[in-house]
């Protein structure tokens, strides 16, 4: 069949058959995607078995709760970031800390504090480096933003996230820090480690067939929001990781690479109230002022909450 015949058939089956109220947007999307799918089946001469295996794959990925991971791994989530950048540029919105993917592992409801938070529960402190992350939240002119909500989450030294990894305590390595009167936030935590997709999971299954690895560099996730500013979804990826620029989820971007500096100075160690040398990362955040008629920077997606 050619595209004209396909489109006619799709319309006959899914548009002309409507007897109830139609959601025009959903109809438009379904008709378009079906037409594209039928065309791909035609072009690639997909067998019935291949089509059913494809549907079974999505069923399995959904059951394993890996569709979010798949969206990151196939670059769909990064593509949405690039589109959002384009839409911002068209609306005259420039500057600010770059956005990058949220990933599937945010959990709402983390403990909140002002200025400072200790993020780790201490269970790894004997064998993992302590990390201090600190930065300022400002607008694009450098004016400080006090009381900005800085939500931070990252993996432990095994590359696992609390909540999804039930062996960790509740909200381990997840905090909400409100910037203080100087726009400053400080997090005391442990060095995260990059992680890979579950090796036996549905995402890695398809990556294997594409000859791709499923690894991410060590990184820390952020949501930063403040009244009157556009919400920022971002992360920094840590310099020195072998996957820094070979991230399976394509989250590393210019402006989002952080360097972990070793601090062994005794006075600094004492000032921080720790008992050993630590690593330090500066990550400042620049928020962009909200503008009427700007494309929204909020993404409505299903998220875990605890
Ligand atoms: Fe992550």
């Amino acid at each position: 069949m050619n595209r004209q015949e396909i489109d006619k058939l799709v319309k006959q089956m899914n548009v002309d058959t409507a007897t109830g109220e139609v959601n025009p947007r959903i109809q438009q999307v379904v008709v378009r995607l079906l037409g594209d799918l039928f065309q791909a089946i035609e072009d690639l001469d997909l067998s019935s078995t291949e089509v059913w295996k494809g549907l079974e794959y999505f069923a399995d990925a959904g059951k394993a709760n890996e569709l979010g991971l798949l969206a990151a791994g196939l670059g769909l989530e990064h593509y949405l970031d690039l589109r959002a950048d384009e839409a911002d540029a068209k609306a005259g919105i420039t500057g600010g800390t770059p956005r990058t993917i949220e990933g599937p592992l945010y959990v709402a409801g983390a403990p909140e504090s002002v200025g400072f938070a200790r993020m780790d529960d201490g269970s790894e402190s004997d064998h993992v480096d302590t990390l201090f992350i600190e930065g300022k939240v400002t607008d694009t002119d450098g004016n400080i933003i006090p009381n900005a909500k800085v939500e931070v989450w990252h993996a432990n030294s095994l590359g696992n996230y609390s909540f999804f990894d039930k062996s960790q305590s509740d909200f381990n390595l997840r905090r909400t820090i409100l910037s203080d009167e100087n726009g400053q936030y400080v997090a005391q935590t442990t060095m995260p480690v990059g992680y890979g997709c579950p090796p036996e999971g549905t995402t890695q299954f398809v990556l294997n067939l594409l000859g791709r690895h499923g690894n991410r560099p060590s990184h820390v996730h952020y949501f930063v929001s403040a009244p009157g500013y556009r919400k920022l979804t971002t992360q920094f990826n840590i310099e020195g990781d072998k996957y820094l620029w070979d991230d399976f989820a394509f989250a590393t971007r210019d402006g989002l690479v952080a360097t972990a500096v070793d601090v062994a100075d005794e006075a600094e160690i004492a000032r921080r109230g720790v008992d050993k040398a630590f690593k330090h990362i500066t990550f400042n955040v620049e928020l962009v002022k909200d503008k009427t008629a700007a494309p929204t920077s909020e993404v409505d997606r299903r998220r875990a909450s605890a």
Side-chain angles (χ1 to χ4, degrees), residues 105 153 161 195 216 219 221 235:
L105 301 171
W153 69 103
Y161 283 78
Y195 54 84
R216 297 220 51 206
H219 62 277
H221 295 267
Q235 42 180 291

Side-chain angles (χ1 to χ4, degrees), residues 82-266:
L82 297 177
R83 288 204 75 235
D85 289 349
E86 270 181 18
D88 283 357
K90 251 186 235 163
I93 295 163
T94 52
T97 300
R99 62 163 55 85
T100 199
I101 68 163
E102 172 183 331
L105 301 171
Y106 171 79
V107 178
E112 221 174 272
S113 54
V114 178
F116 171 86
R118 169 123 188 224
M119 297 181 68
D120 68 298
D121 62 9
S123 58
E124 294 189 302
S125 350
D126 59 332
H127 60 282
V128 178
D129 281 331
T130 296
L131 167 67
F132 281 90
I133 305 167
E134 78 186 291
K136 253 188 179 127
V137 184
T138 65
D139 67 14
T140 48
D141 296 322
N143 301 306
I144 58 162
I145 305 176
N147 217 28
K149 195 175 179 184
V150 182
E151 296 179 78
V152 187
W153 69 103
H154 67 81
N156 69 4
S157 70
L158 300 173
N160 296 325
Y161 283 78
S162 65
F163 184 85
F164 301 97
D165 168 15
K166 297 297 180 198
S167 76
Q168 293 184 49
S169 63
D170 289 350
F171 291 110
N172 190 35
L173 312 177
R174 300 178 182 276
R175 286 296 181 274
T176 297
I177 309 170
L178 298 167
S179 59
D180 68 13
E181 67 276 12
N182 302 312
Q184 193 84 17
Y185 76 93
V186 181
Q188 177 183 340
T189 191
T190 47
M191 270 301 276
V193 163
Y195 54 84
C197 293
E200 305 304 324
T202 51
T203 305
Q204 192 57 55
F205 171 82
V206 93
L207 292 176
N208 286 343
L209 294 172
L210 294 173
R212 292 184 52 201
H213 72 74
N215 296 299
R216 297 220 51 206
S218 175
H219 62 277
V220 174
H221 295 267
Y222 282 74
F223 282 155
V224 187
S225 54
Y229 294 89
R230 293 162 58 72
K231 178 179 173 179
L232 173 69
T233 301
T234 196
Q235 42 180 291
F236 63 72
N237 290 263
I238 301 173
E239 183 72 75
D241 192 296
K242 74 183 256 212
Y243 292 109
L244 181 64
W245 292 105
D246 186 21
D247 175 6
F248 98 101
F250 314 102
T252 312
R253 308 188 75 178
D254 285 330
L256 298 178
V257 176
T259 306
V261 179
D262 287 303
V263 180
D265 179 67
E266 292 298 335

